[in-house]
């Protein structure tokens, strides 16, 4: 089966190569994949299994912070999918399919964009989750006290959370070593107390939680462009006295509104309650009255 290669620019510069089959094949594979269930796949990790998205990961993070796990380290895995040989996770599922699946025969790395790649990567990296649990049952600090580390993993990003700095350093060292043994290239992106501010899936997390500076800036830019474009269309509408051009401009305004609302729904879906108060305050500053929700999406009406 032929895979189409596409280049996607990364937010942090550079390019990401995505390989995917044609859409009909992709749709069929995704349908099959949605029916694959493993008891293990519902217990650990976020970002791949249905119903285990960013909102659930954020809930777990807040729960851990409230229970005193204030020392946090974030590990990012470089070139996550290309680091995994498909034969390894396939053998973990069933040795009869370890030689490969359509689109994966002869491959030594998982193609990013293949519908089953996230699932296979999830199976393979779940070994790390199991190992952390094992460490907690056998290891103690030098003073004889037991250790505890809670792990939140979102695809290839891993957050280790401990109550003490010495515990975090202990588990961070073990984690980096084991991830390397699995064939990954892990790198520590941050290691600090939650009071210093933790970057987490687009949020900045301290004692309170909200969008990080980068996402706030992106939202400001998009909102300001929307407000300016709509104002130009409204001026054009006022200066038009023929029926046909009026309908065309009204259609442009409707299209602009719909796209902006879709964007806002995406923002609220990801950030939820943490985003809404700031979002509405900023929109009000641009004279945009938008009492929308993710269930009800009326058209935005700039105030006059």
């Amino acid at each position: 089966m032929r895979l189409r290669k596409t280049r996607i620019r990364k937010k942090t510069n550079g390019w990401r190569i995505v390989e995917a089959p044609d859409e009909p094949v992709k749709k069929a594979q995704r349908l099959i994949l949605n029916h694959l269930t493993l008891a293990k796949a519902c217990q650990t990790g976020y970002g791949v299994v249905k119903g285990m998205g960013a909102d659930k990961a954020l809930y777990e993070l807040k729960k851990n912070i409230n229970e005193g796990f204030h020392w946090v380290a974030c590990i990012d895995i470089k070139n996550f999918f290309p680091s995994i040989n498909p034969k390894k996770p396939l053998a973990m599922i069933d040795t009869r399919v370890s030689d490969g699946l359509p689109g994966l025969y002869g491959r030594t790395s998982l193609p990013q964009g293949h519908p089953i790649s996230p699932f296979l990567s999830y199976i393979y990296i779940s070994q790390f989750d199991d190992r952390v649990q094992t460490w907690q049952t056998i290891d103690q600090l030098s003073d004889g006290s037991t250790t505890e580390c809670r792990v939140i993993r979102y695809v290839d990003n891993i957050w280790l959370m401990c109550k003490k700095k010495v515990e975090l350093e202990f588990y961070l060292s073990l984690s980096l070593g084991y991830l390397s043994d699995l064939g990954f290239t892990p790198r520590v992106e941050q290691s600090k107390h939650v009071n210093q501010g933790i970057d987490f899936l687009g949020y900045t997390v301290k004692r309170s939680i909200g969008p990080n500076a980068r996402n706030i800036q992106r939202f400001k830019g998009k909102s300001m462009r929307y407000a300016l474009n709509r104002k130009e269309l409204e001026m054009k509408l006022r200066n038009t006295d023929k029926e046909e051009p009026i309908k065309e401009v009204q259609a442009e305004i409707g299209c602009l509104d719909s796209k902006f609302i879709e964007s806002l729904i995406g923002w609220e879906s990801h950030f939820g309650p943490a985003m809404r108060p700031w979002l509405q305050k900023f929109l009000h500053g641009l004279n945009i009255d938008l009492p929308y929700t993710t269930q009800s999406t009326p058209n935005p009406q700039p105030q006059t």
Side-chain angles (χ1 to χ4, degrees), residues 177-227:
Y178 186 68
L179 289 170
S180 297
D181 290 343
L182 289 177
F184 294 119
T185 305
R187 53 190 177 190
V188 181
E189 292 198 329
Q190 51 186 329
S191 179
K192 50 190 173 181
H193 195 278
V194 71
N195 285 347
Q196 296 175 271
I198 302 297
D199 291 329
F200 184 84
L201 300 178
Y203 295 90
T204 292
V205 180
K206 293 185 179 179
R207 294 293 182 177
S208 59
I209 297 176
N212 62 21
R214 180 180 174 183
N215 277 308
I216 287 176
Q217 196 60 39
R218 286 176 58 204
F219 177 77
K220 284 183 176 180
K222 181 169 288 189
S223 299
M224 292 175 71
R225 287 192 297 272
Y226 163 76

Side-chain angles (χ1 to χ4, degrees), residues 11-177:
K11 295 178 181 178
T12 54
N13 297 324
W15 296 89
R16 187 188 307 279
I17 304 299
V18 175
E19 301 180 65
D22 293 330
E23 192 56 36
V25 177
K26 192 174 182 179
K27 188 176 293 185
Q29 290 176 328
R30 190 180 294 115
L31 183 65
I32 295 170
L33 182 58
N34 286 340
H35 287 81
L36 285 174
T37 57
L38 293 177
K40 184 178 184 179
C42 296
Q43 296 174 2
T44 57
Y46 300 88
V48 174
V49 178
K50 190 174 182 178
M52 299 287 281
D55 56 334
K56 296 290 181 64
L58 181 63
Y59 174 83
E60 187 67 21
L61 180 82
K62 290 190 289 186
K63 174 175 173 287
N64 292 342
I65 291 174
N66 291 337
E67 294 179 6
F69 291 82
H70 294 163
W71 285 96
V72 184
C74 177
I75 302 173
D76 175 62
I77 298 176
K78 184 179 180 181
N79 296 325
F80 179 57
F81 287 97
S83 299
I84 302 174
N85 188 319
K87 289 186 176 182
K88 294 181 179 179
L90 286 171
M92 293 170 65
I93 300 171
D94 192 323
T95 55
R96 290 173 295 180
V97 296
S98 61
D99 288 336
L101 292 173
L104 297 178
Y105 292 118
R107 300 293 297 250
T108 57
S109 62
L110 283 178
Q112 188 161 345
H114 194 291
I116 203 171
S117 289
F119 179 75
L120 293 180
S121 69
Y122 188 102
I123 295 300
Y124 188 68
I125 192 65
S126 66
Q127 296 175 94
F128 172 76
D129 307 323
D130 296 338
R131 183 55 64 96
V132 173
Q133 295 302 317
T134 302
W135 290 333
Q136 295 186 130
T137 61
I138 62 175
D139 290 312
Q140 292 184 333
L141 297 179
S142 58
D143 62 2
S145 60
T146 58
T147 66
E148 184 174 6
C149 178
R150 295 189 180 176
V151 178
I152 298 175
R153 182 173 52 75
Y154 193 92
V155 190
D156 58 346
N157 292 108
I158 301 169
W159 287 267
L160 307 177
M161 305 184 70
C162 297
K163 291 184 176 181
K164 301 176 182 178
K165 184 178 181 180
V166 64
E167 290 182 355
L168 183 64
E169 293 171 346
F170 173 71
Y171 280 103
L172 183 57
S173 175
L174 290 175
S175 298
L176 294 174

